[in-house]
Amino acid sequence: MPYSTQEKKRALVRVRRIDGQLDALAQALEQEADCGAVLQQIAAIRGAVNGLLGEVLESHLRASFVPRAGPRRRATRTEDAAAMEQTIALLRTYLK
């Protein structure tokens, strides 16, 4: 999950752009557009989703592994290991 307000806004802009791309793809399919154009739209959507995935993953990694400023203590090795395992599980899920 994007943690800062700026990251959230950036993620929402990407989601809205993807939504528009999906609408355009649906229209192209309904209008029986050329297969090449449909495949190009699908590839663009895939790229946009991968970009969103990268941003959210980066935000997650930074929040999980960068020492927190302020009164919160640094995570223990056990907490770091648990966060790493969670991240590895996420990556395995999305890289299938």
Side-chain angles (χ1 to χ4, degrees), residues 47-63:
V49 169
N50 285 340
L52 175 62
L53 174 65
E55 276 192 15
V56 173
L57 181 58
E58 179 181 346
S59 178
H60 174 72
L61 291 172
R62 289 184 190 282

Side-chain angles (χ1 to χ4, degrees), residues 1-78:
M1 175 69 193
Y3 294 96
S4 73
T5 303
Q6 186 178 22
E7 288 173 334
K8 288 178 187 178
K9 286 180 182 179
R10 198 170 36 239
L12 285 171
V13 166
R14 281 183 175 266
V15 168
R16 290 183 183 116
R17 188 176 306 132
I18 292 166
D19 187 43
Q21 289 175 310
L22 287 169
D23 287 343
L25 176 60
Q27 281 184 334
L29 291 171
E30 288 172 357
Q31 296 171 1
E32 298 180 7
D34 178 60
C35 285
V38 169
L39 290 170
Q40 187 174 13
Q41 284 181 313
I42 293 169
I45 292 166
R46 181 178 58 190
V49 169
N50 285 340
L52 175 62
L53 174 65
E55 276 192 15
V56 173
L57 181 58
E58 179 181 346
S59 178
H60 174 72
L61 291 172
R62 289 184 190 282
S64 297
F65 298 105
V66 173
R68 292 166 179 87
R72 297 181 78 182
R73 65 174 173 70
R74 173 73 176 113
T76 65
R77 286 182 184 228
T78 303

